[in-house]
Amino acid sequence: QVQLVESGGGLVQAGGSLRLSCAASGRTFSNYRTAWFRQAPAPGKDREFVAALSWNSIGTYYADSVKGRFTISRDNAKNTVYLQMNSLKPEDTAIYICAASLGPYGSSGPRRSDAYSYWGQGTQVTVSS
């Protein structure tokens, strides 16, 4: 079992930057593959994949909407995963949620939410125009 706690969200103007953190506890985190998803405030909006990072940091995956603006990274010594978000846009406004799991991605692949067993509560990011 691993517990995930996100932080670093807030209100920022369009074009600004934020760095989100996801602190893990409970297990050796270096063996876990990790990801960020987001949940926009619009009713009926599905949880959206943002970025994923393999357990050895070799594999990185990004949604097309954030590619070139967001960077996922990890510091295993601190049991923490980060999401650096630059050039933020109003459409990036959402609750950002950290996820993690052990083992291979399998048929789900890194972009599907069912590829991850552990989830945080999320941190709110609001981008004003």
Side-chain angles (χ1 to χ4, degrees):
Q1 189 88 8
V2 64
Q3 292 79 42
L4 305 173
V5 179
E6 302 94 335
S7 62
L11 174 64
V12 64
Q13 287 189 331
S17 298
L18 282 174
R19 189 177 79 156
L20 306 183
S21 298
C22 172
S25 61
R27 290 285 180 140
T28 303
F29 193 54
S30 59
N31 296 330
Y32 284 72
R33 48 186 169 81
T34 59
W36 288 93
F37 288 77
R38 64 188 181 187
Q39 181 74 54
K45 190 86 170 177
D46 290 334
R47 186 171 291 182
E48 178 189 15
F49 168 77
V50 175
L53 183 63
S54 63
W55 68 274
N56 56 8
S57 298
I58 291 177
T60 56
Y61 310 86
Y62 294 96
D64 289 342
S65 58
V66 308
K67 199 173 295 182
R69 299 188 297 123
F70 291 10
T71 303
I72 187 171
S73 62
R74 65 193 299 161
D75 184 339
N76 288 333
K78 296 182 178 180
N79 274 7
T80 302
V81 177
Y82 303 99
L83 185 68
Q84 178 67 44
M85 306 187 296
N86 299 328
S87 302
L88 282 161
K89 305 175 182 180
E91 52 263 44
D92 293 320
T93 294
I95 297 172
Y96 283 72
I97 308 164
C98 178
S101 199
L102 284 170
Y105 289 113
S107 59
S108 294
R111 292 177 172 84
R112 287 173 57 100
S113 59
D114 59 7
Y116 302 91
S117 301
Y118 304 102
W119 295 84
Q121 293 299 308
T123 184
Q124 176 71 48
V125 172
T126 303
V127 184
S128 62
S129 58

